Amino acid sequence: YVFIPTLGFSIIISYLLQDYPVIFAFLVGLYMMKTLFYLPAFNDQTSFYLDNAIQFDGFEVPVGNLGVVYANRGLHYKALDTWLECAKANPDYDVALYNIYAFFKKMGQLEEGKQYLKRARDSKICHFPKLWNDEYNELEKVLSRKKVYDLLQMRFNDAIGRNDFNQAHLIKNEIE
């Protein structure tokens, strides 16, 4: 998006400065120095998004993308910290909230993640309302089944602890 306008701007500047080669050379040198200075930001995704997060302080998108890069590298808790920072910068940024939910889901902590999925779904601007609403409804079903399962598991353990194997067998059949 920037290449064509930059090319056009360079042609106009070249034309206007054709009679002033020293000024032209100085400006080209400055442009080259800035380019060389900025190139390390493109070494890898981490450098790129970290640089963007620093340059656009308070803007949640590069910070959220940095969290995705961390997650892809296996740095899940660092990714979580980054997404929490992102959600703090903009409490209505649904993508970061969903990523936090996905982290908790991956860790098996569905109750903790539920609040973030709800916030993502209810954000002012929701990128995937149908998808996230369906996922929230499915999560509700899973959590309600989990409560029943946990209660049966507790009753099963209690029956085993009392050596009431007949009751434990009945509860086991209920669980299955």
Side-chain angles (χ1 to χ4, degrees), residues 58-106:
F59 185 52
E60 65 278 355
V61 175
V63 177
N65 291 340
L66 182 61
V68 172
V69 171
Y70 288 146
N72 289 339
R73 290 191 167 190
L75 303 169
H76 300 290
Y77 288 98
K78 193 167 188 172
L80 176 64
D81 289 342
T82 305
W83 292 323
L84 288 169
E85 179 184 330
C86 187
K88 186 178 177 185
N90 182 353
D92 288 320
Y93 184 46
D94 61 329
V95 177
L97 295 169
Y98 182 84
N99 288 340
I100 296 168
Y101 156 73
F103 169 85
F104 283 117
K105 180 181 174 185
K106 185 174 186 170

Side-chain angles (χ1 to χ4, degrees), residues 16-78:
L16 293 175
L17 294 177
Q18 66 185 345
D19 295 331
Y20 308 99
V22 174
I23 295 173
F24 180 74
F26 178 74
L27 291 176
V28 168
L30 286 177
Y31 185 74
M32 287 174 53
M33 284 176 26
K34 182 187 182 311
T35 302
L36 290 173
F37 179 73
Y38 195 65
L39 280 177
F42 295 98
N43 282 343
D44 57 20
Q45 286 183 324
T46 306
S47 305
F48 179 73
Y49 287 118
L50 185 58
D51 185 69
N52 281 334
I54 291 168
Q55 281 192 19
F56 303 105
D57 189 29
F59 185 52
E60 65 278 355
V61 175
V63 177
N65 291 340
L66 182 61
V68 172
V69 171
Y70 288 146
N72 289 339
R73 290 191 167 190
L75 303 169
H76 300 290
Y77 288 98
K78 193 167 188 172

Side-chain angles (χ1 to χ4, degrees), residues 13 63 71 86 115 126 135 137 142 148 164 172:
I13 293 296
V63 177
C86 187
Q115 64 175 317
C126 183
E135 187 160 353
N137 292 336
V142 167
V148 171
D164 188 352
K172 179 182 176 268

Side-chain angles (χ1 to χ4, degrees), residues 27 35 56 64 82 96 98 104 112 122 125 144 150 153 160 169:
L27 291 176
T35 302
F56 303 105
T82 305
Y98 182 84
F104 283 117
E112 290 83 354
D122 297 342
I125 298 174
S144 68
D150 288 346
Q153 187 69 40
I160 294 291
H169 182 70

